[in-house]
Amino acid sequence: MKKISILLIIIFSFGCKSSTVVINNEDASQNIIPKPSKGDVIMASSLNSDKRYLVSSEELKNIVEYMASDELNGRDTGSEGIEKAAIFIENSFMKSNIKPYFTTYRDSFNLKGVNAYNIVGFIEGTDATLKKEIVIIGAHYDHIGTAKQVNEDIIANGANDNAAGTSAVLEIADYLAATKNNKRSIIIALFSAEEKGLKGSEHLAEKLKAQNINLYTMLNFEMIGVPFTDRPYEAFITGFELSNMSAKINEYTNTSLTGFSEVAKKYDLFKHSDNYPFYQAFKLPCQTISSCDLSNYNYYHHVDDEADKLDYNHMERLINKLLPAIESMCNTPTKEIKMNNE
């Protein structure tokens, strides 16, 4: 998260293939439906919004524990640690059969003499017309490297900021690639140099704008590793008042999953995460979803932002409840998420 920044955006959907997996309305605490194999279909109409399925806390934890390990030394842009993180993400894409959006997964740019790169994958839409429209799901995978020493520790591991958001995007992307249910095409983007001033997302946004892509919306994920205990919602949407993004997510999930954060508004967090360069370039709903507005976590840019501080059951619930909304974003016949000034 850049300076006082928060979280993120992302988007996706499901589709129809050979066999069908139907989710019934059992209690969410009972079990987790396993991730379907290629050819299986999740019927969104059968989903109960409280049902946990597809993405598991164990998978999320495994990703965060590696991304936030001392081996990666805080994932500073241009470092050996962020190179390892990039390779990890590329391998995840390859295992999920996600193609590069460009010639390779790496969208390279120069940052004051430092070679940096976003990692960008592509899941083509299944509808001949709607696949020309793009949904972007993103998160930044870099962090600050080191921070003020505490008990001889100087590594800023960045578990919540933003290994958590990275894990969400990789798991969502893996599911989408397996089901191939998205009518719209999806760009999966993991950004570098967010902590240097949103430079990675700025580079990619300008590049995609120059290509004149037909962007529908962008959903960014940031700092989703801890829950709120005093809110009527589970996550907030930055720039809440600018679009109907939050209302549509709640409509698509039949819940009060997302809402408005006074703290995020106070610190203008909308402008401090990787959604903002896309909003600047396209003037469309490009927003971040987060469950941490800095009022419920004490380890922002701190060496104790470690993997063992996160609540993986919360992350699992949040992501799985979002899946029907992402599905709807990728499959509605018309663009229903709009700026409020339209």
Side-chain angles (χ1 to χ4, degrees):
M1 182 174 75
K2 175 205 164 209
K3 299 251 174 168
I4 275 190
S5 155
I6 294 236
L7 212 149
L8 123 98
I9 280 191
I10 213 140
I11 294 172
F12 90 66
S13 109
F14 311 162
C16 232
K17 280 201 141 189
S18 57
S19 59
T20 300
V21 177
V22 177
I23 309 300
N24 59 30
N25 293 332
E26 297 174 7
D27 182 77
S29 63
Q30 297 303 309
N31 62 336
I32 300 171
I33 302 301
K35 186 178 299 180
S37 60
K38 289 179 174 63
D40 289 340
V41 179
I42 296 299
M43 302 301 292
S45 59
S46 70
L47 297 179
N48 181 287
S49 61
D50 289 330
K51 185 70 185 178
R52 296 185 297 161
Y53 64 103
L54 303 180
V55 174
S56 75
S57 58
E58 182 179 1
E59 291 170 325
L60 295 165
K61 184 178 181 181
N62 288 340
I63 294 170
V64 171
E65 285 184 336
Y66 178 72
M67 294 290 291
S69 65
D70 284 356
E71 179 185 344
L72 270 61
N73 204 36
R75 307 188 310 278
D76 196 8
T77 299
S79 69
E80 181 179 342
I82 201 168
E83 168 66 15
K84 292 180 178 180
I87 292 171
F88 178 85
I89 294 166
E90 290 170 322
N91 285 339
S92 178
F93 280 179
M94 285 187 281
K95 288 176 183 177
S96 300
N97 292 317
I98 295 172
K99 298 177 181 179
Y101 180 75
F102 301 109
T103 304
T104 70
Y105 290 120
R106 299 198 180 197
D107 169 40
S108 298
F109 59 98
N110 187 278
L111 183 65
K112 297 180 179 179
V114 173
N115 184 36
Y117 29 84
N118 304 312
I119 309 298
V120 187
F122 184 67
I123 304 172
E124 186 175 12
T126 60
D127 183 87
T129 300
L130 287 179
K131 73 178 183 180
K132 299 173 185 177
E133 300 176 6
I134 302 292
V135 169
I136 298 175
I137 300 174
H140 76 91
Y141 73 103
D142 68 306
H143 196 51
I144 61 173
T146 59
K148 182 179 179 181
Q149 181 173 320
V150 177
N151 296 327
E152 300 184 355
D153 183 9
I154 63 168
I155 298 175
N157 299 85
N160 194 29
D161 181 17
N162 188 34
T166 298
S167 72
V169 170
L170 291 181
E171 285 300 295
I172 290 169
D174 182 59
Y175 176 75
L176 292 174
T179 57
K180 291 184 171 63
N181 247 351
N182 51 296
K183 292 182 180 179
R184 292 186 173 90
S185 294
I186 304 165
I187 289 176
I188 306 295
L190 284 306
F191 306 109
S192 186
E194 190 268 2
E195 301 287 2
K196 305 295 186 184
L198 313 180
K199 295 303 183 184
S201 52
E202 181 181 274
H203 171 80
L204 183 59
E206 291 175 354
K207 192 170 183 176
L208 295 177
K209 181 65 175 179
Q211 291 182 347
N212 198 31
I213 69 163
N214 186 0
L215 181 64
Y216 171 26
T217 188
M218 188 266 192
L219 184 62
N220 186 57
F221 288 82
E222 186 156 5
M223 294 178 63
I224 62 165
V226 293
F228 290 114
T229 58
D230 58 350
R231 308 286 174 89
Y233 54 76
E234 295 185 41
F236 66 91
I237 299 290
T238 62
F240 176 87
E241 68 284 357
L242 295 177
S243 81
N244 66 349
M245 171 81 79
S246 180
K248 280 297 179 182
I249 288 175
N250 293 347
E251 175 187 327
Y252 294 150
T253 59
N254 194 30
T255 66
S256 55
L257 186 61
T258 63
F260 170 72
S261 165
E262 292 280 1
V263 177
K265 176 69 173 178
K266 177 180 178 181
Y267 292 108
D268 203 8
L269 297 183
F270 173 70
K271 295 182 179 180
H272 292 281
S273 195
D274 289 308
N275 61 283
Y276 189 60
F278 289 90
Y279 169 75
Q280 286 185 304
F282 291 93
K283 296 297 186 286
L284 292 169
C286 298
Q287 291 162 270
T288 287
I289 187 166
S290 179
S291 63
C292 177
D293 59 12
L294 307 181
S295 68
N296 60 325
Y297 192 66
N298 294 326
Y299 305 111
Y300 170 66
H301 284 190
H302 192 286
V303 297
D304 288 335
D305 183 9
E306 301 265 17
D308 62 2
K309 299 291 194 300
L310 304 193
D311 185 334
Y312 297 99
N313 290 328
H314 151 73
M315 290 170 62
E316 175 193 87
R317 288 192 301 271
L318 176 61
I319 296 165
N320 286 324
K321 286 181 179 182
L322 275 169
L323 293 180
I326 294 172
E327 176 187 24
S328 295
M329 291 175 189
C330 292
N331 288 291
T332 54
T334 60
K335 295 179 179 180
E336 296 184 350
I337 298 173
K338 300 178 179 180
M339 300 299 293
N340 283 335
N341 60 4
E342 292 185 15

